[in-house]
Amino acid sequence: MSEAKTTTNHDDIRKWVEERDGHPAVVRTKGEGGILRIDFGDPEEALEPIEWDEFFRIFDENDLAFLYQDKAGSGGKSRFNKFVERGRNA
């Protein structure tokens, strides 16, 4: 099984997402910003596509880190990802 990694590097996050044909998205909430998501494939109705600039603004304002996995247990590219608080161990 592949090990999960954590990063806050915008370039690394964008590269990982785009290598898997993903796109930045958000679930809008009553507050400012929203809940970040990575959308793979056909957009889900609840997800609003956003530009990378807005994505990383929300990411940084909420002190988030990106927890991700490069390879699945089968050896193929994994899409596993999660947003966690910075400084939190995976």
Side-chain angles (χ1 to χ4, degrees):
M1 184 168 178
S2 182
E3 195 172 305
K5 303 174 187 177
T6 305
T7 187
T8 58
N9 183 287
H10 294 188
D11 293 333
D12 291 345
I13 295 167
R14 186 172 180 163
K15 180 180 178 195
W16 185 93
V17 170
E18 290 178 347
E19 284 177 350
R20 289 155 179 81
D21 296 322
H23 308 279
V26 68
V27 176
R28 295 292 181 192
T29 59
K30 292 181 182 178
E32 200 171 311
I35 302 168
L36 293 179
R37 295 285 186 260
I38 302 299
D39 193 12
F40 299 101
D42 294 329
E44 294 180 33
E45 191 172 315
L47 297 181
E48 178 183 327
I50 58 175
E51 297 295 323
W52 283 111
D53 288 345
E54 181 179 3
F55 178 89
F56 287 121
R57 179 186 57 77
I58 295 168
F59 181 82
D60 290 334
E61 285 177 356
N62 288 284
D63 291 322
L64 296 174
F66 186 67
L67 177 70
Y68 66 101
Q69 185 179 35
D70 280 324
K71 294 191 184 275
S74 63
K77 284 184 182 177
S78 174
R79 288 186 174 176
F80 171 78
N81 71 91
K82 184 177 179 180
F83 296 99
V84 297
E85 294 176 16
R86 289 186 188 179
R88 183 173 163 187
N89 292 333

